Amino acid sequence: MENEKIKWQKLLQYGIRYGGGSFLLVFIIEALNRKSLVGGVTYMLQRPSLFVFNSLIIMLTLSIALFFKREIFVYCVVCAVWLIFGIVNFVILSFRVTPFSAVDITMLESAISVSGHYLTFLNFAMIGLAAVLILVLMICLYRKAPRHSHLTQKKLLSAGIIVALIVFALFFIRRNSNSVQALETNYTNISEAYENYGFVYCFTNSIIDTGIAEPEDYSPESVDAVLEELPEAKWKGKTKPNIIFLQLESFFDISELKPLEVSTDAIPNFHALQEKYSGGLLTVPTVGAGTVNTEFEVLSGMSQKDFGASEYPYKTILRSTPAESICYDLKKLGYQSHCVHNNEGTFYGRNIVYKNLGFDTFTSMEFMNGLEDNPNGWKKDRILVGEILDALDSTKGPDFTLGITVQSHGKYAGFAVEKGAPIQVKKAPEGLEDSYRYYVNQLYEVDQMIGDLVAALEKRKEKTVLVLYGDHLPSLDIQKADLNDSNLYQTQYVVWDNMGFEKEERNLAAYQLYPEVLNRLGIHEGNITKYHQNTQWGTKSYHENLRTLEYDMLYGEQYAYKGKLPYEETDLKMGTKPLTLKDVKENERGYLVEGTGFTPYAHLYFQGDELSVEWVDETHIQILEELQYEPEKKEEAEEDEQKEEEQEEETEKKEIPNAFLLQIQSDGGTVLGESEVLRWEDTSLHK
């Protein structure tokens, strides 16, 4: 009898630990997801099946602990991980609209690089303290928590049965509950999905759901059926103009915002272009954040929604696989492709991904001089005008240039705006007055850059098409009801040209933008391009066939290309100006380096060791320390030179003795570009 009582007590303890613990975790996580304890209670009461379903997912992960001798320790670690995920989601939702997903973990480097724009020193200190505290608690728990002396066969069997029952319960509820059956794998609105289906399910789904699902009827015949409807690619234009796409960070027409009233037009240049040139609404795949998913759609003509939940193709398939893009299509007509972006070159892995999208050059902020910071530390966009012109001047033929702005990026709270600022806010949503005051004045400066760029392009008198579009709405807690004639996933675009195109108003999805522009230019290269140009938009077959082409190219057998993808990784050059070392001379401060392409992100090495330097200008760098040079004997020098010639391809440039090397590096230390070495013997120091 006593043994029976102990047995039931243990079962009760396990029920409370695993069942009750799972329910409590889901409640806390959902309260954080909704930034409200009441919201957590409401979700539990209004969506009980979904609440239980999310709890079972957590219970399944907690049940891993049953297979370990240190069961309590493993249980606590899993609980801590879920709690951390819930807290991270809460923090992220305080800065952007898109919730936390698994792909954010893969973007940790990018997140760290921008964290200074969102978090204060106190925030960093609190995070560090919390991390240390968690680590100390885990170490103490590991030492003090009880452990099983050994795992019996009976216990392992019982654990296996429990896991099997949880899995069965998940499938049973999924099959028999109407609300759970409604769970989607591809979300049209990620934020709403997290709110409706729960953080745990959506986050878990973002781990396992990546890429494009294979179409049910995928075969050579199904791909041929799509392609046979497309005409041959024949260029029908009279001239090959320069084509510029300018992606505007968090840019949209604020006159569409009902709760906002300003003293004067914040974007007069953009509005003037809208009055005279073609444009319309642009449906983008994200809101508040996720710039590169809009960028991906615009460059590739593919729909990001066909990929996994919350997926960033820049962080998955495009890291290793080339894909058809506007760059590759235009390359067939002799175009060179450039990107100009006044932010870090490694952000979102662009320095890698652009090789697989067909870019020839990428000028990131590390290759720019004259950068200015706005109050939030983002680089001001006015520098892009000159950089875009430099990109156009860097080749003799026609160019495609993607410009990406960053100045109007969030966050928006906590930055003072001068009393005499150009745009005064008369009315704004309660509690967001300061944020809107800062945002609209940043928007005004971006618009001034647009005016300067158009004026500069008009002076060049080269045939040019300039496409301006917003990547997504700003993270300012905008609701659908706040907008006049658009939704949260719509920005505006306008197409300026000096070729006399007739004005047209047409609403587009981001993945339809470049095919539409190229169609007006008589350019029909590429399967994705021709598909958009020759298919009726909005139909069910339109989206299904597009997904078939996307899958075939990136994940399938490449039937559309006779089994071999015709796109190869480009030899991406960082910057359009040469990075060279010409000479090193003595001066009153020590040594002065002469060359080209120098920026504040330059790092100088001598004999493999980094030197302390001061950037002077584009052609000069001052060395701030004494150089230690020991001349070699003639015989040794000749011998070393012969060895270096034999091993030139295998030896890093830093290892070459008695030689200077210049590298352009990101703040994180990634080498983005480097010069050829300059030997001591070839400088004025030797002479």
Side-chain angles (χ1 to χ4, degrees), residues 14 62 101 141 175 229 245 253 267-268 305 307 356 421 657 671:
Y14 272 96
L62 291 176
S101 66
L141 184 64
R175 186 179 182 85
E229 301 294 324
F245 275 52
D253 187 350
I267 51 172
K305 293 294 192 297
F307 291 77
N356 291 319
V671 178

Side-chain angles (χ1 to χ4, degrees), residues 34 41 70 91 128 141 145 161 191 201 282 302 313 394 407 441 452 458 484 487 496 519 576 588 631 646 659:
R34 289 158 176 75
V41 173
R70 295 184 181 273
V91 173
L141 184 64
I161 292 172
S191 300
Y201 167 75
L282 186 72
M302 290 185 271
S394 66
Q407 181 172 348
N441 279 284
D452 292 342
E458 286 174 336
N484 286 319
N487 62 48
W496 173 89
N519 196 39
T576 57
E588 63 278 2
E646 293 173 355

Side-chain angles (χ1 to χ4, degrees), residues 14 17-19 22 25 57-80 82 141 145-152 155-160 162-163 166:
Y14 272 96
R17 183 184 303 161
Y18 287 91
S22 300
L25 280 171
I57 293 174
I58 286 188
M59 195 184 301
L60 184 63
T61 62
L62 291 176
S63 64
I64 295 172
L66 294 170
F67 296 92
F68 289 85
K69 291 180 180 179
R70 295 184 181 273
E71 179 187 342
I72 299 299
F73 173 74
V74 175
Y75 174 90
C76 291
V77 168
V78 176
C79 285
W82 278 114
L141 184 64
R147 65 189 294 269
H148 303 296
S149 57
H150 64 281
L151 292 173
T152 64
K155 182 171 178 59
L156 290 173
L157 180 62
S158 299
I162 291 171
V163 170
I166 296 172

